[in-house]
Amino acid sequence: MIKWYKKVVFENYANFKGRARRSEYWYFGLAGLCILISFLVIGGLIGAILNGKVGAGNGIALGYICFTVYSLAVMIPNLAVLVRRLHDIGKSGWFFLIAFIPFGAIVLLVFFGNRRNKRL
């Protein structure tokens, strides 16, 4: 998982050309989920230490703030891997705009789970 994350974030930071296999896209998403959970747990622990209470809301809010900063930092690599995954299944990179219509994100998730287009 870390290999794919490094490949997406550091080596292909803003590379919108080419293709991304299913594993590259989904491991990048899994790494982002793990980072979110880590920020929330660490924020909760910091909040518990500072306030003396378990599950303090201020610490979790700190975790969300840290995750928001992280999300802004990896916004371009996230978009780049999304576009490369669309290229891999035979769609235009602009097809990601379908996410902005109702139920469009669900359609994209179905596309991202599909195998590569055999005609390519």
Side-chain angles (χ1 to χ4, degrees):
M1 177 172 66
I2 294 175
K3 176 180 84 170
W4 293 110
Y5 189 78
K6 286 187 344 186
K7 181 179 178 184
V8 170
V9 174
F10 298 117
E11 294 174 9
N12 290 328
Y13 184 80
N15 181 13
F16 290 88
K17 296 178 181 172
R19 298 183 174 168
R21 295 187 297 179
R22 261 191 311 182
S23 55
E24 181 179 349
Y25 178 78
W26 288 109
Y27 281 141
F28 181 70
L30 180 63
L33 180 66
C34 291
I35 290 171
L36 168 64
I37 291 170
S38 300
F39 278 137
L40 293 180
V41 167
I42 292 170
L45 290 174
I46 290 172
I49 291 169
L50 293 179
N51 293 336
K53 303 175 194 171
V54 175
N58 293 339
I60 293 177
L62 175 67
Y64 275 119
I65 291 170
C66 291
F67 184 72
T68 302
V69 170
Y70 161 78
S71 295
L72 291 173
V74 296
M75 185 170 53
I76 292 174
N78 191 16
L79 185 60
V81 74
L82 186 143
V83 168
R84 288 195 315 269
R85 179 67 189 137
L86 283 169
H87 290 165
D88 190 50
I89 60 172
K91 305 284 185 207
S92 169
W94 290 103
F95 208 79
F96 81 92
L97 294 174
I98 197 171
F100 295 109
I101 63 171
F103 304 109
I106 296 171
V107 172
L108 283 178
L109 283 175
V110 171
F111 284 160
F112 294 152
N114 286 339
R115 290 187 176 165
R116 182 182 319 179
N117 191 345
K118 299 292 184 191
R119 293 177 289 173
L120 296 177

